[in-house]
Amino acid sequence: MGGTINLKIWCLRKGDFFMQVLITGGTGLVGSVITGDVRLSSKDADLRDWNQTFAIFDKYKPEKVIHCAAKVGGLGGNMNYKGEFFYDNIMMNTNVIEAARQVGTKRLLCFLSTCVFPDDVEYPLSEEKVHLGEPHFSNYPYAYAKRMADIQIRAYKEQYGVEYFTVIPTNIYGPNDNFDIKNGHVLPSLIHKCYLAQQNNTDFVIWGSGEPTREFVFSKDIGKFADWAIDNYKEVEPIIVSSTDPIKIKDVVGLIVEYMNFKGNVVWDRDKPDGQYRKPSSIEKLKSYLPDFEFTSVQDGLKETVEWFYNNYESVRK
Ligand code: NAP
Ligand code: GFB
């Protein structure tokens, strides 16, 4: 008992403190809604750099880590910045997982994404299919970088016995998203485009045919899941988190038009890509752990996101 107190005083004198959960990417869409004791941004450390990564992990020596930092984007971002999406993500993941191991972090959650799955695979996507073929050409650099985090975590579990694991969400959206119209994901891009079309009295231009489907999941649901998983999920195999409610792009356009009260023309630009046509996923595993987990409907999540966007327009990432 006395030893523990003395050790605490020594740590405080060194400028350290006892800390349970550290979140990387704590300023982002997902990291900002997860419960934690320390929330890092790129200003605290560039996690592509080993020395900076090790220094920040050594400072906090977190018992648990939720790794949300990543170079993230939608279809446009993934196609325009293939080199950066590969390099930034493989460096960040490799450094974070190794630094966590070196400072004695017991548990770590690392986010993958459903785009890690093969393009040509039997649907629905399920956890054991991650490595069974080539990812879709539009985002293979990001997908392979993410797949390697799964490999690193499996290898570390086998050699070092750490309790690290991966979580695979579908397309996430919510307050604090990146509303960049060229590189962001579809929902924040469309909200921003609709806003600009309304302001400037111009057409609301949508990419592709509107026929592809996506499974959208509200950021706060991912936050709720991560809060549970960091303490309770004990497998090294990934776990998919999705609302599993596929919706056509043209139907979410309809919701955005309604919630933003847009009265102008909606135009489909078929020269722009559709990306993957669909990628339905299975949440059988999630339901086996959390049978009562309730997902926010895309209607409620979108209304909240649109309201947040209007209230924070000046400061949103765009
Ligand atoms: P986000 O909103 O873009 O946030 C990214 C975070 O990473 C920010 O806090 C950013 O810090 C930090 N970051 C970026 N580069 C960094 C660097 N070099 N060093 C240190 N920190 C850096 O991303 P998100 O949507 O929350 O994504 C969280 C996780 O979920 C990621 O692993 C992502 O791949 C995964 N995921 C996301 C989606 C989605 O639809 N958004 C879907 C599936 C999986 P600054 O604020 O300082 O830039
Ligand atoms: O969210 P998103 O960009 O990425 O959605 P993915 C792309 C879908 O939305 C395509 C249509 O069917 C597009 O044709 N779309 C329509 C638009 N208008 C727009 C628009 O203005 N902007 C965008 N971005 N799309 C991502 C991966 O795939 O999924 C990421 O690239 C990540 O790596 C994420 O894994 C979860 O759903 O196609």
Side-chain angles (χ1 to χ4, degrees), residues 41-114:
S41 80
S42 63
K43 292 190 185 74
D44 299 300
D46 183 343
L47 299 173
R48 295 170 302 181
D49 179 278
W50 167 252
N51 291 330
Q52 291 186 41
T53 307
F54 181 74
I56 199 100
F57 272 73
D58 196 41
K59 176 178 173 190
Y60 292 115
K61 295 187 178 60
E63 190 185 337
K64 299 173 188 171
V65 169
I66 303 184
H67 175 38
C68 304
K71 179 89 175 176
V72 178
L75 182 57
N78 272 273
M79 292 182 76
N80 294 332
Y81 298 101
K82 288 185 172 154
E84 284 176 48
F85 272 67
F86 181 77
Y87 181 83
D88 288 13
N89 286 305
I90 201 153
M91 295 307 287
M92 275 192 251
N93 296 338
T94 309
N95 287 339
V96 163
I97 295 165
E98 173 62 6
R101 179 192 78 77
Q102 286 196 21
V103 304
T105 296
K106 291 195 175 60
R107 292 183 55 78
L108 178 146
L109 182 168
C110 174
F111 283 105
L112 307 183
S113 161
T114 38

Side-chain angles (χ1 to χ4, degrees), residues 25 27-30 42 45-47 68-69 112 142 146 170 172 317:
T27 46
L29 168 69
V30 174
S42 63
D46 183 343
L47 299 173
C68 304
L112 307 183
Y142 175 84
K146 290 263 177 198
T170 50
I172 310 168
R317 279 186 289 164

Side-chain angles (χ1 to χ4, degrees), residues 74-75 78 113 115 139 142 171 184-186 193 207 214 273-274:
L75 182 57
N78 272 273
S113 161
C115 72
N139 55 33
Y142 175 84
N171 201 313
H185 286 99
V186 57
K193 279 204 233 179
W207 298 354
R214 292 292 181 269
D274 266 340

